[in-house]
Amino acid sequence: MNIGFIGTGVMGTGMINNLLKANFSVTVYNRTKKHATNVLENGAKWADSPKEVAQKSDLVITIVGFPKDVREVYYSDKGIFAGIHSNMILVDMTTSTPKLAQEIAKTAEQKGIAALDAPVSGGDIGAKNGTLTIMVGGKSNDFERAKPILSVMGNSIKLFGSNGQGQNAKMANQIMIAGTMTGMTESLLYAQKAGLDLNFLIDMIKGGSAQNWSMTNYGPRILQNDFAPGFAAKHFLKDLRIALSTAKEMGLNLPATQEAEKLYKKMVEVNNLGNLGTQGLIKIY
Amino acid sequence: MNIGFIGTGVMGTGMINNLLKANFSVTVYNRTKKHATNVLENGAKWADSPKEVAQKSDLVITIVGFPKDVREVYYSDKGIFAGIHSNMILVDMTTSTPKLAQEIAKTAEQKGIAALDAPVSGGDIGAKNGTLTIMVGGKSNDFERAKPILSVMGNSIKLFGSNGQGQNAKMANQIMIAGTMTGMTESLLYAQKAGLDLNFLIDMIKGGSAQNWSMTNYGPRILQNDFAPGFAAKHFLKDLRIALSTAKEMGLNLPATQEAEKLYKKMVEVNNLGNLGTQGLIKIY
C-alpha cells in the first residue's frame, strides 16, 4: 500500500519514520520543504503538492497546524480532493473541528471515497516511539481498513463513533488537560510563594488524590526551568478554542475551560510565548 | 502515652480506631456525643469538654470542621488551652488556615508546650486504613516526638517547615485538585453532550497525558450516579476559600482556582448540594 503523508512537523516526522521502518512506501508534502529533510533522507519520496500526494497514494494522512490549514490541504486547487482516485482513504490526524471533519467526510462520500478523523495524543515522544493514542471518527469498515497503518504509529487506537467523534474525543481530552495544567500551575505558584520545597510537594502529590500526569511530568521540568515544547502552547490554545466553540454550538457553557483559554490567550497572544511548551503558563502569573 | 482526640466525624472515627488498635489509650470529645458511639464502643473514653481531654492527655489531636471550630476548641473557656499541662503536644489535623496554625503555635509556645499543624489527605478510606498523607508544620523535634503516633494513622508523613507550612502544603494540594475536578467535570459534560461513550473516554484518558486520580476514581462513580461523599463539597469549598484568601494575603492571584471556588459555591450555597461528594459538581452545569 502506498501511503501519502502531508505535514512533516515534529509529530509528522516521528510518524513517517515509523511508517518507513515498517517498510511502507511514503510520499510526503510539506509547505516548507526543508522540514521534510529528515524523512526524505530516511527514504520518503517528495511530491510538489497535496494533489500530487493524493495521485500517488492509496491512503493519505494529514497532520498540519490549524483547521484553516486542513481546509487548504483538502480543498485548494492543488489540494487532496483534486488528486483523488477510487478506493482511497483520507485520514486527518490534525486536531481540528468536528464540523470540518464531517464536511471532509461528506465531500469524500460524494466522491465515492472514505475519510476518517483521527487526532492523536502522546506528543512528540509518542510520535517518535509509535505509542500515540489515536481517537478515530468514521465508518467502522473504513476504520478497519486503516487500522493496520494506524497501528504502526500508535498503541491505543479507538473508534469513538461517526465522523467528527474522533475530534470530539480529543476535545474532551484537552478539556481535562486544561484542568490539570491550570491546577498544576497555580498549585506550584502558591507553594513557591508560601516558601515550600517544591520537589517535596511534587513528590507528595504523586501519591495522593491530587495525582496527575501533568504534575508528575511537567512539575520537575518547571523546577529545572525547562520550557521546551513537548506540546506548544499556541496549539493548545487552538484546541481550547475549538473545544469552547463546539461546546457553545451544543449549548454547553464550560467556565473552567473558558478561564484556561483566557490564561493561555494571555500567554500566547499577549506575552508572545506560544512556542513554549504548555508548562510555560507559569511565566504569566 | 495518653492520647486525646477531639472530633469524631468520619475522618476522626477511622483515625481513633487505628489508635485504639495500636493499644493507645484515647480520650475523646465531640460536640455531638452520639457521633462518638462507635469509638466509645471500641474502647475510647469520653470527656465532657476539650479542656477535660487536655487535662487527661499527653498529646491532643483535633480534627473538626471549619477554622472557627478549631478556634473554639482551642481558645474557649472549656477549650484545650484551659486544660494544658507541661510537656504536652497539640496537633491540629483539621484543614484550617496557616495563620490560625501560627497563632495556636505562638500561644502554645508562650505556655511552654508544643503545637503542630498536620492536615491530611486520603479521605475516609485513608483514615480507616491508616494510609493518610499527613502534611506537617512545626518544629523538627516536636515533629519527631509526634511521628510515632501520626504513623499509626498515615503512611506518608512529611514535615514541610515551620508552623503553618503543613496547612500551606495542604492548600497547594487542594488547588491542584480544583484543577482535576473542574477539568474532569467539564470533560465528561462535553463528551456526554457530543454523544461519546463515557466509559470508553474514561478508559482512554487513563492511558495518556490527561491522566489523573479524579477521572480514574470519580469518573466511574459519576457514571453510576454515585454522589456519596468521599469528601464533602462543603469542606472542599472551605479549603478553596482558605487557599484563595491566603494567596491574596501573599499577593498572588489564582484565576483558575477562583473559577473553581465560584463553581463549588454555586453547588454548595445556591443548589444546597454541599453534603454530596466533590464529584457532585457535575450536577450544577
Side-chain angles (χ1 to χ4, degrees):
Chain A
M1 182 182 274
N2 293 314
I3 295 176
F5 205 111
I6 294 162
T8 59
V10 166
M11 296 298 290
T13 297
M15 295 156 81
I16 292 164
N17 282 330
N18 283 319
L19 290 166
L20 291 169
K21 274 182 220 157
N23 293 314
F24 284 102
S25 162
V26 187
T27 303
V28 305
Y29 169 79
N30 196 60
R31 204 160 46 187
T32 311
K33 189 177 176 179
K34 69 173 178 186
H35 292 156
T37 308
N38 175 280
V39 296
L40 293 174
E41 283 173 3
N42 290 335
K45 294 164 205 158
W46 178 256
D48 280 324
S49 67
K51 177 182 173 180
E52 194 186 323
V53 170
Q55 286 169 335
K56 295 181 172 169
S57 308
D58 307 306
L59 181 146
V60 178
I61 293 167
T62 49
I63 185 160
V64 294
F66 291 82
K68 68 175 172 48
D69 303 315
V70 175
R71 184 175 292 282
E72 195 188 327
V73 158
Y74 279 83
Y75 287 99
S76 68
D77 289 349
K78 298 215 157 187
I80 291 169
F81 281 124
I84 56 169
H85 49 91
S86 62
N87 288 319
M88 279 187 82
I89 308 183
L90 311 179
V91 187
D92 184 26
M93 301 184 80
T94 317
T95 297
S96 171
T97 68
K99 242 185 190 169
L100 181 53
Q102 287 159 1
E103 187 183 332
I104 290 169
K106 202 174 171 188
T107 307
E109 193 174 10
Q110 286 164 351
K111 295 176 183 287
I113 61 167
L116 300 168
D117 49 299
V120 303
S121 73
D124 52 342
I125 294 167
K128 195 178 173 187
N129 296 341
T131 55
L132 292 168
T133 293
I134 306 179
M135 294 152 267
V136 188
K139 290 180 184 150
S140 179
N141 58 331
D142 299 333
F143 173 70
E144 292 305 330
R145 282 166 67 205
K147 205 175 172 184
I149 290 93
L150 298 178
S151 300
V152 173
M153 299 176 282
N155 59 4
S156 172
I157 298 144
K158 305 203 181 193
L159 180 66
F160 273 90
S162 58
N163 291 100
Q165 293 297 54
Q167 296 295 353
N168 275 324
K170 178 68 189 277
M171 288 304 123
N173 189 73
Q174 301 307 75
I175 290 168
M176 184 66 250
I177 291 179
T180 59
M181 291 305 295
T182 54
M184 175 190 71
T185 303
E186 298 195 354
S187 175
L188 289 176
L189 283 164
Y190 180 101
Q192 183 183 42
K193 199 83 175 180
L196 297 173
D197 180 321
L198 298 186
N199 282 302
F200 213 53
L201 181 83
I202 291 169
D203 191 52
M204 183 201 69
I205 283 179
K206 266 185 208 170
S209 52
Q211 180 277 335
N212 66 94
W213 191 97
S214 293
M215 183 64 93
T216 303
N217 288 274
Y218 288 132
R221 291 193 212 175
I222 290 171
L223 300 203
Q224 288 156 30
N225 250 334
D226 174 4
F227 296 104
F231 181 44
K234 65 182 175 187
H235 290 133
F236 189 52
L237 178 60
K238 168 202 69 168
D239 295 357
L240 292 179
R241 285 173 172 170
I242 294 171
L244 287 169
S245 65
T246 309
K248 202 177 168 187
E249 286 163 19
M250 301 190 294
L252 193 59
N253 189 31
L254 303 175
T257 309
Q258 277 164 19
E259 193 57 51
E261 190 271 340
K262 269 188 216 165
L263 291 165
Y264 274 99
K265 178 182 177 178
K266 189 176 170 192
M267 178 182 172
V268 174
E269 296 181 351
V270 181
N271 295 22
N272 288 312
L273 300 174
N275 290 320
L276 295 186
T278 49
Q279 76 273 28
L281 184 65
I282 202 163
K283 287 177 171 278
I284 66 152
Y285 278 75
Chain B
M1 182 184 274
N2 293 313
I3 295 176
F5 205 111
I6 294 162
T8 59
V10 165
M11 295 298 290
T13 297
M15 294 156 83
I16 292 164
N17 282 329
N18 283 319
L19 290 166
L20 292 169
K21 273 183 220 157
N23 292 315
F24 285 102
S25 162
V26 187
T27 302
V28 304
Y29 169 79
N30 196 58
R31 205 160 44 187
T32 311
K33 189 176 177 181
K34 69 173 180 188
H35 292 154
T37 308
N38 175 279
V39 296
L40 293 174
E41 283 172 4
N42 289 335
K45 294 164 205 157
W46 178 257
D48 281 325
S49 68
K51 176 182 172 180
E52 194 186 323
V53 170
Q55 286 168 336
K56 293 180 173 170
S57 308
D58 305 308
L59 182 145
V60 178
I61 293 167
T62 50
I63 185 159
V64 294
F66 292 81
K68 69 175 171 47
D69 303 315
V70 175
R71 184 174 291 284
E72 195 187 327
V73 158
Y74 278 83
Y75 287 99
S76 68
D77 290 349
K78 297 214 158 188
I80 291 170
F81 281 124
I84 55 169
H85 49 91
S86 61
N87 288 319
M88 282 188 80
I89 308 183
L90 311 179
V91 185
D92 185 27
M93 300 183 80
T94 317
T95 297
S96 171
T97 68
K99 241 185 191 170
L100 182 53
Q102 288 160 1
E103 187 183 334
I104 290 169
K106 202 174 171 187
T107 307
E109 192 174 9
Q110 285 164 351
K111 294 177 184 288
I113 62 166
L116 299 169
D117 49 300
V120 303
S121 73
D124 52 343
I125 293 167
K128 195 178 171 186
N129 296 341
T131 55
L132 293 168
T133 293
I134 307 179
M135 294 151 266
V136 188
K139 291 179 185 151
S140 179
N141 58 330
D142 298 334
F143 173 69
E144 292 304 330
R145 282 166 67 204
K147 205 175 172 186
I149 290 94
L150 298 178
S151 299
V152 173
M153 299 176 282
N155 59 4
S156 172
I157 299 145
K158 303 202 183 196
L159 180 66
F160 272 90
S162 58
N163 291 99
Q165 293 297 55
Q167 295 296 353
N168 275 323
K170 178 68 190 276
M171 289 303 122
N173 190 73
Q174 301 306 76
I175 290 168
M176 184 66 250
I177 291 178
T180 58
M181 292 305 295
T182 54
M184 174 191 72
T185 303
E186 298 194 356
S187 176
L188 290 176
L189 283 164
Y190 180 100
Q192 183 182 43
K193 199 84 176 178
L196 297 174
D197 180 322
L198 298 186
N199 282 302
F200 213 54
L201 182 82
I202 290 170
D203 192 51
M204 183 202 69
I205 283 180
K206 265 185 207 170
S209 52
Q211 178 278 335
N212 66 95
W213 190 97
S214 293
M215 183 64 93
T216 303
N217 287 274
Y218 288 132
R221 291 193 211 174
I222 289 170
L223 299 203
Q224 288 156 30
N225 250 334
D226 173 5
F227 296 105
F231 182 44
K234 65 183 176 188
H235 289 134
F236 190 52
L237 178 61
K238 169 202 71 169
D239 295 357
L240 293 179
R241 285 173 171 171
I242 295 172
L244 287 169
S245 65
T246 308
K248 202 177 168 189
E249 287 163 18
M250 300 190 295
L252 193 59
N253 190 31
L254 302 176
T257 310
Q258 278 163 19
E259 194 55 51
E261 190 270 342
K262 270 189 215 165
L263 292 165
Y264 275 99
K265 179 183 178 175
K266 190 175 170 192
M267 177 183 172
V268 174
E269 295 181 353
V270 180
N271 295 23
N272 289 312
L273 299 174
N275 290 319
L276 295 186
T278 49
Q279 74 273 29
L281 184 65
I282 202 162
K283 287 177 172 276
I284 66 152
Y285 278 76

